[in-house]
Amino acid sequence: MSIMFNRRHVLLAGAGAAFASLAPAAQAAGYPDKPLQVLIPTGEGGGVDQAARAFNRIWSKYLGANFEYSYFPGASGQVGYEVFVSKREADGYNILFGNIGPEMIMYATQKVKYKYPEDFVYLGSMDVDDSVIWVGAGSKFKTIQDMVEEGKKREITLSTSRLPHPSTIGALALAEATGMKVRMIPYGGGGPARSAAITGEVDGCATFLSSSLGLGDQARFLTVFNETNRAPELTNNAPPVNQALGTKIPQMSGQRAIAIHAKTVEAYPDRVKKLAETFKQVFADPDYRAVAEKAGTPWEFIQYGDAASCQESAKEFVELAERYRPLLSATK
């Protein structure tokens, strides 16, 4: 599946230049005059929900509106995206708050009823969260090398919140590169996936880093799927996978981001401009760090991404999903 960049996509990616010529009278006069509707394609109370509420608490100060939430989990995010595209009006009052990595992998590997970027585009991202593999405190695996060596003798089982996920690709790529055998077991949510690893129901867990930092001494991190470990003191100094094993596995991360309908970009450029500008303002607000960390996201992971960087990330994950499609299919 390839991504074709159409006029709406280019318009949004170059938002600064595209909106510069808007007359003052067109600058979103009166917008927003009611709460924005936030659709979350995962369950209430999960990591995306908490991050969205923390971010929006600050964003509301600059946007001048409150937010109301609805949740449509299912099919690794597919249900939520299909509801957003087909049943939510493209008027700038409806946004989706999701996670680019796993949801673009889902888009590339499942039969969905929408097209990217024809139907929706990402307006901005708020963080970068690396994939990791960790084991329960009682596990015999002390290092990622220990797990790989055991995996050459028997099948290693790893829990995951959902199969279409950067950490799934990371684990499967690790198995392909080292000769270890691995079976990914989806648990339909981060909580059950983490519990399975802690209790020893599976050998370990492949997930995003931030979602597991609150486990304390219940978890032992084995590796990070990035070139550096940005939170070594929080992860028992787990080494980057390529450094530890001499592999060449791409960075596997997620970016929580907001999406809007592609039609909104052309129909309401003034509203899109206000959304984009106020979204960016949140990152300079001193209160944001406190609410972000309280919601479970270390400040080291907070990173503003504009529309152009979001679209590039989305494209990269579609390409990764295509590259590892045979391995992803083999897990089902």
Side-chain angles (χ1 to χ4, degrees):
M1 180 185 295
S2 62
I3 294 181
M4 299 301 293
F5 291 85
N6 60 16
R7 180 174 178 272
R8 292 174 188 143
H9 188 275
V10 174
L11 184 65
L12 180 58
F19 300 129
S21 61
L22 288 175
Q27 300 297 313
Y31 170 84
D33 58 2
K34 60 182 178 180
L36 269 66
Q37 302 299 314
V38 180
L39 188 150
I40 296 180
T42 54
E44 184 174 4
V48 171
D49 184 24
Q50 293 181 51
R53 289 178 179 274
F55 186 90
N56 291 346
R57 192 172 305 144
I58 307 301
W59 193 12
S60 64
K61 295 195 303 183
Y62 300 98
L63 187 60
N66 293 320
F67 297 85
E68 297 176 349
Y69 301 83
S70 59
Y71 306 88
F72 292 87
S76 299
Q78 180 179 344
V79 172
Y81 276 78
E82 290 183 351
V83 169
F84 180 73
V85 168
S86 65
K87 298 183 179 181
R88 295 292 184 266
E89 189 174 354
D91 59 359
Y93 282 94
N94 288 282
I95 64 175
L96 181 145
F97 203 111
N99 198 319
I100 296 177
E103 287 153 20
M104 290 310 296
I105 294 171
M106 173 272 292
Y107 170 75
T109 56
Q110 297 180 181
K111 295 180 179 180
V112 301
K113 299 177 181 178
Y114 57 88
K115 291 185 178 181
Y116 174 84
E118 290 85 350
D119 291 325
F120 76 93
V121 289
Y122 292 104
L123 182 69
S125 62
M126 53 165 285
D127 60 17
V128 177
D129 197 354
D130 297 325
S131 295
V132 295
I133 292 177
W134 58 265
V135 296
S139 172
K140 68 178 181 179
F141 301 132
K142 307 300 182 185
T143 66
I144 190 62
Q145 290 92 338
D146 292 343
M147 178 175 281
V148 168
E149 289 306 310
E150 181 76 10
K152 294 177 181 179
K153 303 172 187 176
R154 67 170 178 88
E155 185 177 70
I156 297 294
T157 56
L158 294 176
S159 61
T160 184
S161 60
R162 43 182 165 171
L163 281 179
H165 198 283
S167 61
T168 299
I169 294 182
L172 295 174
L174 173 61
E176 182 182 53
T178 61
M180 70 180 286
K181 296 180 286 291
V182 67
R183 180 160 61 97
M184 305 302 299
I185 304 177
Y187 276 80
R194 291 188 291 272
S195 294
I198 291 171
T199 61
E201 183 177 327
V202 293
D203 290 307
C205 182
T207 186
F208 285 140
L209 176 53
S210 68
S211 65
S212 301
L213 290 177
L215 297 176
D217 58 8
Q218 296 182 89
R220 180 186 307 120
F221 291 88
L222 299 186
T223 194
V224 179
F225 287 92
N226 201 341
E227 293 308 311
T228 60
N229 182 343
R230 288 179 291 165
E233 71 285 355
L234 301 175
T235 57
N236 50 268
N237 204 30
V241 63
N242 294 334
Q243 176 184 308
L245 299 170
T247 50
K248 296 181 179 180
I249 298 171
Q251 175 182 342
M252 299 293 173
S253 62
Q255 292 169 271
R256 286 176 283 209
I258 65 166
I260 58 174
H261 298 89
K263 291 180 180 178
T264 305
V265 180
E266 288 186 342
Y268 299 99
D270 52 337
R271 296 180 182 182
V272 176
K273 174 183 172 65
K274 185 167 185 178
L275 287 171
E277 289 181 344
T278 56
F279 180 90
K280 184 177 181 180
Q281 286 179 287
V282 173
F283 297 85
D285 191 305
D287 293 334
Y288 180 42
R289 177 168 186 167
V291 297
E293 291 184 334
K294 187 175 181 180
T297 304
W299 190 245
E300 295 87 345
F301 293 6
I302 297 297
Q303 180 176 310
Y304 166 70
D306 63 11
S309 66
C310 288
Q311 314 323 325
E312 182 61 28
S313 181
K315 179 175 179 287
E316 290 174 355
F317 274 108
V318 170
E319 292 172 349
L320 276 172
E322 289 295 334
R323 175 180 172 185
Y324 290 102
R325 180 184 290 274
L327 297 180
L328 287 166
S329 300
T331 67
K332 296 180 180 180

